[in-house]
Amino acid sequence: MSRDIIRHAPIVKGVPHLLHGGDYNPDQWIRSKDTTWKEDMRLARLAGINTLSVGIFAWAALEPEEGRYEFGWLDEIMDLMHENGITAVLATPSGARPGWMSQRYPEVLRVNGDRSKNLHGGRHNHCLTSPVYREKTLAINTALAERYGEHPALGVWHISNEYGGECHCDLCQERFRAYLQDKYGSLDELNEAWWSAFWAKTYTDWSHIVSPGSHWRGEQDIHGLRLDWMRFTTEQFVDFYLHEAAPLKAITPDIPCTTNLMGTYPGIDYYRLAQVLDVVSWDSYPQWSNTDRDVRTGVESSFNHDLTRSLKGKPFMLMESSPSATNWRPVAKLHRPGVHLLQSMQAVAHGADTVQYFQFRKGRGGSEKFHGAVVDHEGTERTRVFRDVAEVGERLAGLDAVVGTTTPADVAVVYDWSNRWALDDMKGMLQDKTGYQGTVLDHYQAFWEQGVPVDVIDGSLIAAPGELDQYRVLVAPMLYMLRPGVAEAVNAFVERGGTFVATYASGYVDENDRTFLGGFPGPLRDTLGVWAEEIDALYEDDRNAIVWNGKEYEAFELCELIHAEGAEVLGAYGTDFYAGRPALTVNHRGEGKAYFIAARTGADFLDDFYRKVVADTGVERALDADLPAGVTAQVRSDGDTDHVFVLNCNPTEARVDLGDGETLELAPHGNVVLQRPRPNSEA
């Protein structure tokens, strides 16, 4: 099991550098453009900025009246950027439309889950189905591509901004029904898939199907309906993205297109959306506190970076981050010294080929006027934050060798949107506190602490031919939903030598959220060698224990009662009526192993367990050293040279013993990049 390490082309053709920049809104400064715009270019150069995102939310400035375009200001900005060596990430403006459109064409306004229609205002307040909205976006996107397609500053198309939300209007209801008819073919098949005989919900006419809204829980209790609505919503955004991108791809086929994602945002399956993107980008706003909580913050942002990189298996764009206070946080805390550099280098360590911000210059009004920015209201380079940004620019300028490199990961952790949707709807166990995302992070953190690079993959991708060939270890916490082919692929992975780790609440339902019959964990029962008979949900103050390897570990919240059916029992429960029953098992199957962890545990158990897994399987670590708590190491490689990023997420100093009397001293929130020849990672 190994992967080919390749070096990808730069995101922007002919720009073999890490991109450094941010969202820029020159349309907000047109009245003072003679002084402000030129000063912005000077400050950008001083900060080491080589890219700026322009045109986001600029529709009113670009088309102040229907059919009358005003491109003069954007012409000037594009020319200024080119003159100053700055690449343009040029946005389409569909995230917020002009007032004339809402007034003249009210069908473009979004309808909420309670069936109330929005007024004009805000952003992402549009119907994705609306023929008018599609016509208007197609027109302005075509005009932008025709005007700037040959402009030397153009580097990337930034389509819309942070897609999200739902529309429940009549147009979307009809489109949803058409989606279901195409998927199921008949109402009989739909009723069987949704198990709609429950509470007499059997559908006898397609027109009876309505989207699950917030106004009435009746439609929310058919989980198959809820699941298909979320999948349909994802397809709406995929289709709308393709609609927006069509003229850009036709006129500028060599310019990559992206739209900025939001980590683990629950409303869209990003694995699906990423399939149609040329390059993946996302917006990262970790909540640093300058306390011990920063370690978990580092884990969460690392996970999101790894997820984003894994969506296409190549370098991504960090489209937005804050150089200091994030104003929409409940507590808009300033970044302490070193934090901005740390979070920027952390993104690069996990696969980003850009470090970009919201925002470049602070606006004078609106809800984001106090959001962190490169250029403060004070307007000069004399601020602490500006110096922090310039420091990042200087560091990035010295890392050309990292551009296009990959992250060689022997471990894959499963994070699955459909699985999350099903667990969020599930009634039982802990109701609304199933904790899927937190559980995945807990397992991920055990590898992060060891400096083990990790890919984050989708449950459906497991079944893709060859998808698992590159990994030694596959971890699937709470894989409640098993889609077709997944169990077979996991079994084949184990039999040819892989190590698989599953947990409680796995293998309960199929892709339509119907329970498997014949015992849990469903199709994984033979692979894991266990039968899960019951699951005990514990009250907040309840505790049990797993006794393993001569040590007792706390178990809480969820404890599954299992029977070993061929699996070897490694650990047992410590208390309650199921004391002594299996709590940790391993099933030897073919050349590999399949572990089952039956209870939710703390970090101490996961740390000890995964240290054993790493040692037994010989997975690659970024650095052959014992890393202190809160310090991780990540690697990017071109196949010949490794770039090892050592990152201290603690607000205190840390020391790493590299062996042979050599130590690495890390400042609070400090980082170091080491280089070494690529070692032979074959076990």
Side-chain angles (χ1 to χ4, degrees):
M1 299 178 187
S2 62
R3 68 164 65 215
D4 294 328
I5 298 176
I6 63 173
R7 186 168 186 175
H8 298 272
I11 290 171
V12 177
K13 186 177 181 180
V15 183
H17 314 295
L18 295 173
L19 300 181
H20 183 222
D23 282 17
Y24 180 41
N25 302 294
D27 47 305
Q28 297 178 15
W29 301 92
I30 290 176
R31 295 180 67 175
S32 61
K33 68 176 185 177
D34 291 343
T35 55
T36 305
W37 289 0
K38 291 182 179 178
E39 177 65 0
D40 286 340
M41 296 300 110
R42 184 188 74 84
L43 291 170
R45 292 197 310 272
L46 201 59
I49 282 175
N50 58 12
T51 185
L52 290 169
S53 302
V54 293
I56 305 168
F57 306 129
W59 202 335
L62 291 168
E63 192 179 4
E65 296 177 6
E66 184 174 10
R68 179 171 68 84
Y69 296 122
E70 293 286 352
F71 289 126
W73 66 270
L74 188 52
D75 292 346
E76 291 184 53
I77 282 296
M78 293 289 284
D79 291 345
L80 276 173
M81 290 170 64
H82 175 59
E83 291 166 10
N84 286 274
I86 296 174
T87 295
V89 178
L90 182 55
T92 65
S94 64
R97 79 199 156 274
W100 58 259
M101 192 187 303
S102 301
Q103 184 178 40
R104 191 168 301 168
Y105 307 104
E107 76 163 48
V108 305
L109 293 167
R110 187 169 287 184
V111 172
N112 300 309
D114 63 1
R115 282 22 180 197
S116 63
K117 195 179 188 72
N118 284 346
L119 301 175
H120 176 74
R123 57 179 185 169
H124 303 299
N125 175 17
H126 51 266
C127 170
L128 299 176
T129 304
S130 164
V132 170
Y133 201 65
R134 286 173 171 252
E135 173 193 335
K136 298 305 180 186
T137 54
L138 183 65
I140 196 165
N141 289 8
T142 300
L144 285 167
E146 289 175 343
R147 191 171 190 95
Y148 300 109
E150 299 295 328
H151 198 287
L154 180 62
V156 177
W157 285 111
H158 180 332
I159 295 181
S160 194
N161 183 75
E162 294 183 338
Y163 281 146
E166 305 171 356
C167 181
H168 297 259
C169 73
D170 290 343
L171 291 171
C172 289
Q173 300 290 349
E174 288 301 319
R175 195 173 178 117
F176 179 45
R177 294 172 191 128
Y179 167 84
L180 295 174
Q181 286 180 280
D182 183 63
K183 179 175 181 178
Y184 292 107
S186 71
L187 283 170
D188 285 344
E189 290 299 317
L190 177 143
N191 283 315
E192 178 66 20
W194 287 2
W195 207 251
S196 59
F198 174 74
W199 284 359
K201 286 301 298 181
T202 301
Y203 294 95
T204 57
D205 192 283
W206 292 102
S207 65
H208 295 167
I209 299 171
V210 296
S211 63
S214 57
H215 66 304
W216 170 236
R217 285 201 55 84
E219 299 299 341
Q220 297 184 10
D221 292 314
I222 302 298
H223 291 168
L225 166 62
R226 291 265 299 162
L227 195 60
D228 273 333
W229 172 255
M230 297 306 296
R231 289 169 173 159
F232 164 74
T233 298
T234 292
E235 292 303 322
Q236 283 278 81
F237 284 107
V238 169
D239 184 69
F240 194 79
Y241 173 90
L242 291 171
H243 171 80
E244 282 214 64
L248 312 180
K249 300 304 295 181
I251 297 168
T252 60
D254 295 330
I255 303 297
C257 296
T258 189
T259 189
N260 47 336
L261 311 182
M262 297 175 284
T264 54
Y265 168 70
I268 301 173
D269 183 343
Y270 282 159
Y271 292 107
R272 173 67 182 109
L273 182 56
Q275 291 175 4
V276 298
L277 307 182
D278 295 325
V279 60
V280 179
S281 63
W282 89 286
D283 301 343
S284 174
Y285 292 97
Q287 193 168 3
W288 304 103
S289 65
N290 204 46
T291 68
D292 291 343
R293 296 195 303 273
D294 282 353
V295 174
R296 185 64 169 189
T297 297
V299 171
E300 291 170 353
S301 54
S302 294
F303 175 85
N304 283 317
H305 290 316
D306 282 339
L307 168 62
T308 304
R309 183 195 71 246
S310 301
L311 292 176
K312 292 193 83 72
K314 65 179 184 179
F316 62 92
M317 300 178 71
L318 176 60
M319 185 67 79
E320 291 184 21
S321 61
S322 178
S324 190
T326 303
N327 80 305
W328 45 263
R329 292 283 190 195
V331 178
K333 192 176 184 68
L334 296 177
H335 286 176
R336 268 41 188 177
V339 167
H340 178 54
L341 180 60
L342 169 68
Q343 73 174 21
S344 300
M345 297 304 289
Q346 181 188 44
V348 176
H350 288 272
D353 270 5
T354 79
V355 174
Q356 298 160 267
Y357 315 118
F358 181 84
Q359 51 193 330
F360 177 73
R361 177 183 280 274
K362 286 184 179 179
R364 294 193 66 189
S367 63
E368 292 176 318
K369 60 181 174 290
F370 293 119
H371 194 287
V374 178
V375 180
D376 193 72
H377 296 124
E378 189 269 348
T380 75
E381 66 270 32
R382 292 194 295 266
T383 65
R384 179 182 68 90
V385 171
F386 188 93
R387 291 193 295 272
D388 284 352
V389 170
E391 181 185 18
V392 171
E394 184 177 1
R395 286 287 297 276
L396 297 180
L399 292 174
D400 284 356
V402 172
V403 175
T405 57
T406 58
T407 297
D410 290 335
V411 176
V413 172
V414 177
Y415 180 83
D416 185 295
W417 262 269
S418 285
N419 189 63
R420 175 179 178 173
W421 294 333
L423 279 168
D424 285 347
D425 276 348
M426 187 265 297
K427 301 303 176 188
M429 298 186 198
L430 293 173
Q431 295 291 320
D432 298 328
K433 299 180 181 178
T434 52
Y436 174 63
Q437 183 171 334
T439 299
V440 174
L441 279 170
D442 291 341
H443 287 254
Y444 171 88
Q445 182 167 351
F447 293 104
W448 184 92
E449 295 276 7
Q450 297 181 72
V452 174
V454 171
D455 282 348
V456 182
I457 66 172
D458 180 39
S460 66
L461 294 180
I462 293 172
E467 179 67 27
L468 299 181
D469 291 351
Q470 59 194 309
Y471 302 115
R472 298 172 186 265
V473 177
L474 174 67
V475 181
M478 297 182 72
L479 194 57
Y480 172 77
M481 174 183 288
L482 295 179
R483 285 182 268 179
V486 169
E488 294 81 359
V490 168
N491 189 67
F493 168 76
V494 173
E495 289 191 334
R496 65 176 177 265
T499 296
F500 175 58
V501 182
T503 74
Y504 54 90
S506 291
Y508 276 40
V509 301
D510 65 12
E511 73 276 15
N512 295 310
D513 210 356
R514 299 176 304 181
T515 57
F516 290 114
L517 303 180
F520 304 143
L524 286 173
R525 186 169 173 175
D526 289 343
T527 303
L528 291 164
V530 300
W531 166 38
E533 183 181 2
E534 300 177 276
I535 190 163
D536 191 16
L538 307 186
Y539 290 118
E540 191 171 327
D541 55 352
D542 285 346
R543 290 295 182 272
N544 205 312
I546 292 179
V547 181
W548 169 57
N549 210 20
K551 188 175 177 180
E552 187 172 285
Y553 301 89
E554 189 175 70
F556 51 90
E557 296 186 341
L558 291 171
C559 295
E560 199 157 54
L561 281 59
I562 65 173
H563 303 269
E565 297 182 328
E568 176 187 353
V569 178
L570 301 177
Y573 284 114
T575 63
D576 215 327
F577 73 92
Y578 43 94
R581 292 182 59 171
L584 174 66
T585 62
V586 62
N587 195 33
H588 298 269
R589 195 168 180 86
E591 302 288 323
K593 300 176 182 179
Y595 289 94
F596 190 81
I597 303 171
R600 184 167 289 171
T601 70
D604 56 346
F605 171 82
L606 294 176
D607 184 67
D608 287 349
F609 173 74
Y610 282 115
R611 286 186 185 278
K612 173 176 170 51
V613 169
V614 168
D616 289 350
T617 57
V619 302
E620 180 180 340
R621 298 169 61 204
L623 196 63
D624 187 17
D626 290 330
L627 299 173
V631 174
T632 190
Q634 301 294 323
V635 63
R636 293 187 62 174
S637 181
D638 61 9
D640 296 318
T641 302
D642 284 351
H643 305 272
V644 180
F645 295 74
V646 187
L647 307 157
N648 179 20
C649 292
N650 297 292
T652 55
E653 295 178 349
R655 174 180 294 182
V656 180
D657 183 359
L658 298 177
D660 297 327
E662 185 179 359
T663 59
L664 194 61
E665 305 286 344
L666 295 169
H669 297 120
N671 69 92
V672 173
V673 183
L674 309 173
Q675 286 191 11
R676 69 180 182 210
R678 173 78 184 154
N680 183 354
S681 62
E682 292 296 320

